[in-house]
Amino acid sequence: MNGRTRLDRISFFLLHIWVLGVCGVVIGAFLVQLLGSELPCPLCLLQRMAMLLAAMGPMFIIRRTSVVGSDATSDFSTGFGMSILASVLGLAISGRQTLLHILPGDPGYGGAVFGLHLYTWAFVVFLVILLVSGLTLASGSLMVVGSRPGRSGAWSRITSVVFSVVILGNVVSTFVESGTEWFLPDNPTNYELLQEFREFLDARSSAGDQSVQKAN
């Protein structure tokens, strides 16, 4: 195995680690939400979306390597460009939320994980993504992944499935929390869709009781 092939494999492996790492961060946020009963605020949801957008860059490169006739260099720059843009957006969102709770005595939103709130950790994650993206692009052609025409390998398929499941989970979680409302409150306290469903059942039950009373 020559040096070029070794670098190619290392770069391809790191792309998978990148995607799975971001998925792990979002899954951790889900665990805090479900096990800690802490509903994400609107800014928290936007940060999750920005993280998944940042992971779409490496995922794009992974998927393009199996396309016949793809331009590896162009795909590489496009993928990391997507990650940089998403990270800048995520930095702006997480930075805004951090500044909202920066005054002394402000308890912040939600509980802390290892001494920092999730939006502060998100700010750190976006900084890391920007740093890694910049260093990778600055490396020139050293980290460019060559084409792998044909069917994707098992490792790539697993990464793709995990990424898709996390995206779907984020969509479902957001819909359950927001329900049919266009806007979420700054400090959500319940899942709007479940609340709307309960109110619908109560209304049906009340209407049924009234019908019975009229029949009697």
Side-chain angles (χ1 to χ4, degrees), residues 59-208:
M59 194 70 246
F60 169 79
I61 299 172
I62 292 172
R63 300 300 298 175
R64 287 288 295 173
T65 57
S66 61
V67 177
V68 178
S70 61
D71 186 336
T73 302
S74 176
D75 294 340
F76 200 75
S77 59
T78 299
F80 280 100
M82 293 165 59
S83 294
I84 289 174
L85 290 175
S87 297
V88 171
L89 176 63
L91 273 177
I93 298 171
S94 57
R96 169 176 167 73
Q97 190 168 11
T98 301
L99 292 175
L100 287 174
H101 303 287
I102 201 172
L103 293 177
D106 191 316
Y109 181 80
V113 178
F114 298 114
L116 297 176
H117 292 278
L118 292 183
Y119 44 84
T120 308
W121 280 116
F123 189 85
V124 174
V125 170
F126 287 122
L127 277 178
V128 171
I129 293 176
L130 275 177
L131 178 62
V132 173
S133 298
L135 291 174
T136 303
L137 289 176
S139 68
S141 61
L142 290 177
M143 298 299 289
V144 173
V145 179
S147 61
R148 289 173 166 79
R151 185 180 180 186
S152 300
W155 185 230
S156 298
R157 293 197 297 273
I158 291 172
T159 302
S160 180
V161 169
V162 172
F163 186 51
S164 300
V165 169
V166 173
I167 291 177
L168 179 61
N170 191 60
V171 171
V172 172
S173 174
T174 303
F175 177 61
V176 172
E177 185 175 351
S178 62
T180 57
E181 299 293 331
W182 283 103
F183 300 99
L184 276 175
D186 292 337
N187 299 293
T189 57
N190 61 283
Y191 292 98
E192 292 294 332
L193 185 64
L194 299 181
Q195 181 65 28
E196 292 172 2
F197 185 66
R198 293 191 192 98
E199 292 175 354
F200 172 76
L201 292 180
D202 290 342
R204 289 288 301 272
S205 177
S206 177

Side-chain angles (χ1 to χ4, degrees), residues 44-60:
C44 298
L45 293 175
L46 290 176
Q47 289 164 54
R48 293 183 186 181
M49 295 176 187
M51 282 190 184
L52 293 174
L53 285 174
M56 281 185 180
M59 194 70 246
F60 169 79

Side-chain angles (χ1 to χ4, degrees), residues 23-37:
C23 288
V25 172
V26 178
I27 290 173
F30 279 133
L31 292 177
V32 172
Q33 174 184 343
L34 299 175
L35 300 181
S37 299

